[in-house]
Amino acid sequence: MTTVRQRKRTNASEQNQINSHTEKNTKPNIKEISGPTTWKILSQFIGIMMAVVLGLLTTYYVAILHENDLWFSNIKEVEREISFRTECGLYYSYYKQMLYAPTFKQGITDLIYDNKTESMRTINILERMNVYQEVVLAVIYKYLPFWNYLEPVYFYIYTLFGLQTLYVTALYISSWLLSKTWLSGLLTALWYIVNRVDTTRVEFTIPLRENWALPFFAVQIAGITYLLRPDLTALRERMAFIVVFISTFIFSITWQFNQFVLLLQAVVLFALDCADMIPTIKVAKLYLIQVTCLLAVCVLQFNNTMILGSLVLSFVIAAMLVRRLQRNLKRGDLLKRLCNLTIHILLVLFLTWCINTTIKKLLNLQSDEHIFKFIQAKIGFEKTRDFDASLYLCEEAFRQLPFDTFHRFSDTLLLYPYLCVLFILTMAALATTFNNLSSSNTEKEKKKQIYVKPDVAYNLMHTILFGCLALSTMRMKYLWTSHMCVFASFGLFSIEVWGMLLKCFRLYTAQRANIVRYSVSITVIIYLILKFCPRIMEELSELREFYDPDTVQLMNWIKQNTPKNAVFAGSMQLLAGVKLCTGRVLTNHPHYEDKTLRERTKQVYQVYAKRSPEDVHSILKSFGTNYAILEDSICYERRHGRGCRLRDLLDIDNGHIMDGPGDNDPDLQHAPSPRFCDEIKKDLPSYSKYFTRVFKNKTFHVYRLARKSALK
């Protein structure tokens, strides 16, 4: 029963005492608040400084290695340019071209209407190749006073080395965000440095597109990791989306293989969305960023059809359309949701195939067909005799990851923590997925237990998919190994990972988990510093020198003895250097993402096949060739085994039996002509009628082609 009683009155003195007592009890303890806050700010400042310092140390490290390996500061300009091997030289040539253009407008015009990269063809370099970074760098160097302090080549290579600071800092921040301690970032950076052989190759392949793109890809991963944190404010979420957008755009415009990397990333997001491990709205926004960036790059590359016909665009569009139609995907019991998910996945795959096939037929797109032939042969769907696919399959870089890679990882203590963390979090992710799928919407808030948080789930799926890619194709390992450093160091410093492990043995307490994670991780850091610092110092003390007199002699001869508009035929790798060092016109080059160029390259390579001099002369003249460069290292190649030598690939493609003992396919026949590159050296009249040798050294033979009018 409720009763009403009279309110007790208080006099003024009693009220003052009460107010005084209340203020005393509620007054904040300045020491209690300022102490932890000050320490947190100081710790974050130290962490940020460590990130920058380690990034700069990495830049210094690779720059010194490059200098010590080539004595770059002391060699001649032509030797510096020759050191940019294969496609590296091709990309650098456009930076050089922009530098020496009389005006910016003229430089851009020359790139848009280029008739020197491929003879008898005018191509748009900005459309075909990802060279906007060379354009921007040339403009910065030309119109800002850098020329007072640095030579053009040093400005270029120091920019690439400088991006390593961004790369390491982004990896450091990713690990810090996941583990919530900057010590994890410190371990990430140390692992990246001591595993340099497997994490980067920037010091000897400087202009490669991946060296421009991967630092921004690391920034994007850090941005996504932060974005997937729960309870972000609207401002912080918006800033994270901006970081992801900018980094995705720069990554996409600097590397022609952006579409395949973003496809794997889209698959990661799709899988996590299906498992209900990350918010659907954030997945949709990340899809939108991918599509927007790719379309923006497509516009900047003058409607590059390879981007329009990419699988990632088709997949993202299909995923968003099907998701829009199937709104009840996350409702019902376990069996119903599994059925819905199966239908959902099949619909997305089918619609992806329909969209991609339609776009390719409408655009008559064949630029990337060699990649899919390579993938089919790599997976083992069929044995291929396709020349382009075989050219990739026979290269060591496109074979499976060598076993000695794991030996190096175990030597740096990276492998074992990585595998342990991967196993623990995979089991936790499977438990989380099962729990998500078996919980109805009304039950979720009550019974749903989050074993793996969204940011960790994303990085887990990322490392699994890119790990599979690296295991299958060695060249792709650089997408995986740097993330290995992030993932392993996060696991060692993660209170959640150690908590799950200790709970398995019923040893868990919060204090014990903290002691174990810091003691183990700091021990690893000390081990790496003590073991690898002497090795790194010894490596930095080793001095070598660039030495390639035969190629230098060839380039000097070409510049001094041939017209500026002369057309040269030869191997893709060598011709990239010819363009950079001499500016002469090429028949073919290493940027292989064009069907017409691939056909042309195979025809030019007939100089190493069993073809008659009449045939070879006719083929080369159809491309306007004036000079052909033959290399003994290709004609008498021993680097590859039988069946993978360039001359073998040409013989198989031409239907001819290969040289040497061994099996041949039953449909191959004996060639009517001897091998051209060997027979031409005998100076027989049937060959000298068409070809005149004008230069020779231990490595190269240059032949001038007779004019067709002189043969009549």
Side-chain angles (χ1 to χ4, degrees), residues 70-257:
L70 300 175
W71 202 4
F72 200 75
S73 60
N74 193 62
I75 57 179
K76 299 176 182 177
E77 183 68 21
V78 64
E79 293 174 310
R80 291 177 178 176
E81 293 178 346
I82 291 171
S83 71
F84 297 134
R85 302 287 185 179
T86 65
E87 60 190 288
C88 298
L90 185 68
Y91 297 133
Y92 183 79
S93 71
Y94 299 119
Y95 168 73
K96 183 179 176 182
Q97 182 176 323
M98 281 296 299
L99 278 178
Y100 292 106
T103 63
F104 172 76
K105 183 179 178 180
Q106 184 61 46
I108 294 295
T109 302
D110 291 341
L111 290 177
I112 295 175
Y113 303 100
D114 180 278
N115 54 15
K116 287 195 169 185
T117 303
E118 295 176 20
S119 60
M120 303 183 72
R121 290 185 76 192
T122 298
I123 63 172
N124 186 341
I125 298 298
L126 295 178
E127 176 193 355
R128 285 271 297 277
M129 305 181 197
N130 298 70
V131 295
Y132 270 102
Q133 52 267 46
E134 274 75 22
V135 172
V136 171
L137 216 59
V139 170
I140 292 173
Y141 182 86
K142 197 170 183 179
Y143 295 103
L144 293 178
F146 286 105
W147 53 270
N148 290 327
Y149 310 101
L150 282 174
E151 297 176 55
V153 67
Y154 275 107
F155 180 68
Y156 186 89
I157 66 173
Y158 283 170
T159 300
L160 268 300
F161 292 150
L163 284 177
Q164 288 294 298
T165 298
L166 178 65
Y167 198 4
V168 172
T169 302
L171 297 174
Y172 182 108
I173 291 173
S174 292
S175 189
W176 186 356
L177 289 170
L178 289 168
S179 64
K180 300 178 180 61
T181 171
W182 59 263
L183 285 172
S184 177
L186 170 62
L187 181 55
T188 298
L190 289 177
W191 262 330
Y192 180 88
I193 293 170
V194 300
N195 289 285
R196 175 191 55 80
V197 173
D198 298 297
T199 53
T200 183
R201 50 179 177 165
V202 66
E203 75 275 9
F204 63 91
T205 58
I206 299 172
L208 272 190
R209 304 299 84 181
E210 67 188 49
N211 295 328
W212 286 97
L214 290 184
F216 295 100
F217 189 55
V219 173
Q220 187 226 39
I221 294 171
I224 293 175
T225 300
Y226 183 76
L227 179 65
L228 294 178
R229 280 184 158 189
D231 304 324
L232 283 182
T233 64
L235 177 61
R236 289 184 176 183
E237 185 174 305
R238 194 176 299 115
M239 293 300 295
F241 274 119
I242 291 172
V243 169
V244 172
F245 176 82
I246 293 173
S247 55
T248 304
F249 173 75
I250 299 176
F251 167 75
S252 301
I253 204 169
T254 53
W255 198 15
Q256 70 269 30
F257 294 135

Side-chain angles (χ1 to χ4, degrees), residues 568-599:
F568 279 80
S571 68
M572 295 184 290
Q573 296 82 358
L574 179 63
L575 289 186
V578 169
K579 184 180 188 310
L580 171 59
C581 298
T582 70
R584 300 306 189 261
V585 184
L586 313 180
T587 55
N588 54 306
H589 55 80
H591 196 274
Y592 219 48
E593 280 66 52
D594 180 75
K595 183 175 176 61
T596 303
L597 176 66
R598 292 195 296 271
E599 289 294 332

Side-chain angles (χ1 to χ4, degrees), residues 5 20 52 115 127 151 162 280 320 328 331 335 396 399 439 443 449 453 459 546 576 590 620 691:
R5 68 178 184 178
S20 176
V52 175
N115 54 15
E127 176 193 355
E151 297 176 55
T280 300
M320 294 179 74
N328 62 342
R331 296 177 184 175
L335 184 60
E396 185 180 358
R399 294 178 183 174
S439 302
E443 297 175 305
Q449 297 180 16
K453 295 178 181 178
N459 281 274
F546 176 85
L620 295 181
F691 303 93

